[in-house]
Amino acid sequence: MPPQASTEASLEKQLRITTLLRRKPGTTEAEFHDYWSHKHGPLAEKFFVKHGLIAYKQVKRTPPIDGLSVSYHTPSSLGFSPSPVVSTPTTASGGGHSAQPQDKQSDQGGQLDAVDGIADLIVPDEETLRRIMEDPEYHEVIRPDELKFLDGGPGGKSVMVGWEEVRMEAGKVIVQVGVDGVGNTSSNSVPFNFNGEEDIWTVDSFREKLRVQIHRNEPNEAVFSLVGIDASLANAFRRILLAELPTVAIEDVFIRQNTSIIQDEVLAHRLGLVPLKGNKGGLRWLNWRRPLEEDKPDGLEEPTYDFNTIQLELKIKCDWQKHGKERAGKQGETNPERLYKDHHVYAHQIHFTPFGHQATKWFTPEAGPIEPINREILVAKLRPGHELDIIMHARKGIGRDHAKYSPVATASYRLLPTIDIKEPILGADARKFAECFPSDVIGLEPTTTEEGKKDVKAVVKNSIKDTVSRECLRHEEFKDKVKLGRDREHFIFSVESVGQFDSDELFVDAVKVMRAKCARLKQCLSELREVG
């Protein structure tokens, strides 16, 4: 088994047996299908039910299909070699492959149309497969009946046994989740990834697949789903939210007086991290301020104007309360609330000092002045005699330059969990199964057993709340009855705003930034074409 196959195989222990069938010489196609469906089929069904098979399918012959491929991964742990099947080219122009037995490869020419039918079985594990092969009933009843309608020669029946990689289910690309690993994680939705398939991205196909679902929309938190996009695009939006949306934060701190025990640079850093809010129209109206460029001859930065700078002020001095010294000396009081005035410096003591159009248009008391988002942020602690006298300039910036400019506390996404209950889980097992998941993920529905007794069965209620803890796979009674995964094209975004802008506004702004990036790239490509 290849090195990576050990992890992949552990994700799905069920084995698939694919048998390519060719009819007995002298038997017409109609006779072959009639006997297989109405005589051999029921006989095989009873035999397979006895051994607990999960599925038995008969695939009827169709005209040849260009590009058809069969891909299985056979574990070496099976300990025996079924009839070998190899993948060989179909035609020079088709670019496809078909499953063919090695001993028939030359005379069949690699054509799948030489096969009259395909029997597809799914068994729970390797031990069940061994029991089937060793059962005398198979050799005494099933196999002799097969010879009545199948070619008894070496090419009449070609068997392939292996575990399968589920790339898509119900039209969705699924990441497999197992007890000790994950599989099918890499993306293949790129042009020409598959031989003969262009898969070119188009606006129409993207618009058809894209869906947006809002789960929660609050000013400081938005949770929504983006469906039908690639991980690269989802991650681009996440990075833009974190690092490329402009906000306003304190940049320059002018300390005129600081007699506290906090060093000037530490105090300036704490002030810079205090998030601010104000009239959103005014915040968007602010321009960027050209920073100091040391390589310029004058070495000057752009002057301070009302359209590029917000000015704030912090003036506070700590002193004794009335009778505070007496309480500290004679009574031994240590509670600062009973001894000092203004001994805690909070964010609400930072005051906005507007000038120019800020005072008359953009940041008036009615429109919304500049102020800290959280008024109770502790900036410093003072004692009698300590004084702070500080002027601050807030400017526009982006999180790529400093984390204080990031408009979000966090912006993340996760793939939609998928839970596939393959076999009914009833009664006490259903209740135990529900306890393996967070609340409201698994529900219980009434059902009736074969004996007519009322019972409950486990059903998937809301998979979006699942944390994919894989707890159910650790129980022997559940690990073969449930299949966990993640939808690789369904991204659940969680955007938590710091408060300067609403969460839903931030994502719309991220989309605008992405559009601007695409426009710049398109322009650059046009210029390169002109130069070339």
Side-chain angles (χ1 to χ4, degrees):
M1 186 185 297
Q4 74 275 17
S6 60
T7 301
E8 297 282 356
S10 66
L11 299 177
E12 182 56 70
K13 293 186 178 181
Q14 295 176 352
L15 296 178
R16 182 180 291 270
I17 306 171
T18 301
T19 308
L20 307 182
L21 307 177
R22 294 174 180 84
R23 66 180 182 267
K24 187 177 181 178
T27 304
T28 66
E29 186 174 350
E31 292 172 341
F32 167 81
H33 287 300
D34 180 72
Y35 192 93
W36 186 27
S37 297
H38 301 103
K39 296 182 180 180
H40 181 77
L43 184 67
E45 287 174 11
K46 296 179 181 178
F47 176 72
F48 293 145
V49 168
K50 180 180 74 171
H51 286 283
L53 259 70
I54 295 174
Y56 169 43
K57 301 177 182 179
Q58 293 181 349
V59 184
K60 310 302 181 181
R61 179 182 182 274
T62 64
I65 302 175
D66 230 9
L68 181 66
S69 65
V70 179
S71 178
Y72 284 89
H73 309 266
T74 304
S76 58
S77 60
L78 288 175
F80 65 90
S81 299
S83 301
V85 178
V86 297
S87 180
T88 58
T90 55
T91 61
S93 61
H97 291 74
S98 66
Q100 292 292 332
Q102 290 177 340
D103 55 357
K104 288 287 182 179
Q105 185 176 354
S106 58
D107 55 14
Q108 298 291 347
Q111 294 295 332
L112 192 60
D113 58 346
V115 177
D116 294 294
I118 299 175
D120 203 13
L121 295 86
I122 300 179
V123 299
D125 48 39
E126 299 176 10
E127 184 59 33
T128 302
L129 179 57
R130 289 192 176 91
R131 289 201 308 269
I132 293 174
M133 302 301 293
E134 296 170 359
D135 190 334
E137 183 180 352
Y138 173 76
H139 301 282
E140 298 172 3
V141 179
I142 302 299
R143 182 55 181 165
D145 191 67
E146 290 177 346
L147 296 177
K148 294 180 180 180
F149 69 102
L150 293 181
D151 185 354
K157 180 181 177 182
S158 300
V159 182
M160 180 166 59
V161 183
W163 52 272
E164 60 181 345
E165 290 182 0
V166 181
R167 294 296 177 179
M168 291 186 66
E169 282 187 336
K172 297 181 179 180
V173 182
I174 302 297
V175 175
Q176 301 172 6
V177 178
V179 177
D180 52 4
V182 295
N184 195 24
T185 57
S186 59
S187 175
N188 53 26
S189 57
V190 294
F192 301 104
N193 183 76
F194 298 105
N195 187 23
E197 296 184 13
E198 294 184 0
D199 198 21
I200 299 298
W201 185 93
T202 63
V203 175
D204 292 336
S205 63
F206 178 76
R207 183 183 293 114
E208 182 179 351
K209 293 170 58 179
L210 179 65
R211 288 188 294 114
V212 181
Q213 302 172 357
I214 307 297
H215 306 298
R216 183 166 65 254
N217 187 14
E218 300 173 358
N220 290 335
E221 182 180 15
V223 180
F224 56 92
S225 291
L226 286 183
V227 186
I229 66 173
D230 190 73
S232 58
L233 185 58
N235 194 49
F237 287 135
R238 183 189 67 86
R239 292 174 65 90
I240 291 173
L241 284 166
L242 290 170
E244 298 190 46
L245 296 184
T247 62
V248 174
I250 296 173
E251 175 67 15
D252 297 324
V253 179
F254 304 94
I255 300 178
R256 299 189 289 198
Q257 181 71 280
N258 175 22
T259 56
S260 71
I261 62 173
I262 302 179
Q263 298 92 337
D264 289 353
E265 57 271 24
V266 175
L267 180 59
H269 185 261
R270 292 181 63 83
L271 290 170
L273 293 176
V274 174
L276 305 174
K277 67 177 181 179
N279 178 25
K280 296 175 184 177
L283 293 174
R284 298 183 188 278
W285 166 74
L286 288 174
N287 291 341
W288 297 84
R289 183 167 183 255
R290 178 171 60 86
L292 175 65
E293 299 182 21
E294 298 180 356
D295 57 338
K296 293 294 182 66
D298 53 8
L300 298 176
E301 59 183 347
E302 184 178 355
T304 297
Y305 298 109
D306 60 347
F307 57 78
N308 64 14
T309 303
I310 297 294
Q311 184 167 292
L312 302 157
E313 185 179 39
L314 174 61
K315 295 184 69 174
I316 189 170
K317 183 177 181 180
C318 179
D319 205 347
W320 289 95
Q321 290 186 12
K322 187 177 181 180
H323 307 303
K325 289 185 178 180
E326 180 179 347
R327 284 193 290 268
K330 294 182 179 180
Q331 302 176 14
E333 179 65 62
T334 59
N335 184 359
E337 298 292 340
R338 292 174 51 83
L339 297 176
Y340 319 123
K341 296 186 298 183
D342 296 326
H343 62 97
H344 282 172
V345 182
Y346 291 102
H348 66 79
Q349 294 169 307
I350 298 175
H351 299 290
F352 172 49
T353 55
F355 62 100
H357 287 295
Q358 297 176 4
T360 59
K361 182 177 181 181
W362 293 110
F363 301 109
T364 63
E366 295 77 17
I370 298 295
E371 60 182 351
I373 293 173
N374 190 332
R375 296 170 52 84
E376 302 304 318
I377 295 176
L378 182 63
V379 177
K381 292 185 178 182
L382 306 179
R383 289 298 180 262
H386 293 177
E387 181 180 3
L388 296 178
D389 187 358
I390 302 172
I391 298 294
M392 294 155 281
H393 287 174
R395 302 201 176 107
K396 185 175 286 190
I398 57 176
R400 186 172 56 192
D401 297 330
H402 196 284
K404 66 186 178 183
Y405 288 115
S406 181
V408 295
T410 182
S412 62
Y413 62 80
R414 59 189 178 96
L415 298 178
L416 175 70
T418 62
I419 306 170
D420 181 16
I421 301 177
K422 299 181 293 184
E423 297 182 30
I425 303 176
L426 308 174
D429 283 348
R431 297 180 181 88
K432 181 179 179 181
F433 183 73
E435 293 176 355
C436 295
F437 295 85
S439 177
D440 294 332
V441 174
I442 300 296
L444 300 177
E445 290 186 355
T447 185
T448 303
T449 63
E450 295 180 359
E451 295 79 13
K453 298 179 181 179
K454 292 185 177 180
D455 210 335
V456 293
K457 67 176 180 179
V459 296
V460 180
K461 186 177 179 182
N462 189 1
S463 66
I464 195 173
K465 295 184 178 181
D466 186 25
T467 57
V468 196
S469 66
R470 299 180 281 191
E471 174 64 24
C472 63
L473 300 181
R474 297 181 175 92
H475 298 274
E476 290 293 329
E477 61 268 38
F478 300 142
K479 66 178 184 179
D480 293 328
K481 294 183 178 181
V482 64
K483 191 174 185 179
L484 303 181
R486 286 184 181 271
D487 187 345
R488 209 171 61 200
E489 294 184 347
H490 189 135
F491 297 87
I492 305 171
F493 271 82
S494 177
V495 180
E496 296 182 23
S497 171
V498 171
Q500 196 166 112
F501 297 98
D502 291 347
S503 297
D504 55 351
E505 293 179 307
L506 292 176
F507 187 78
V508 173
D509 289 342
V511 174
K512 292 178 181 178
V513 172
M514 174 64 76
R515 290 182 61 183
K517 287 175 176 285
C518 294
R520 287 197 297 270
L521 177 60
K522 187 176 180 181
Q523 181 180 357
C524 291
L525 292 175
S526 299
E527 294 174 356
L528 286 175
R529 187 181 296 110
E530 293 175 0
V531 173

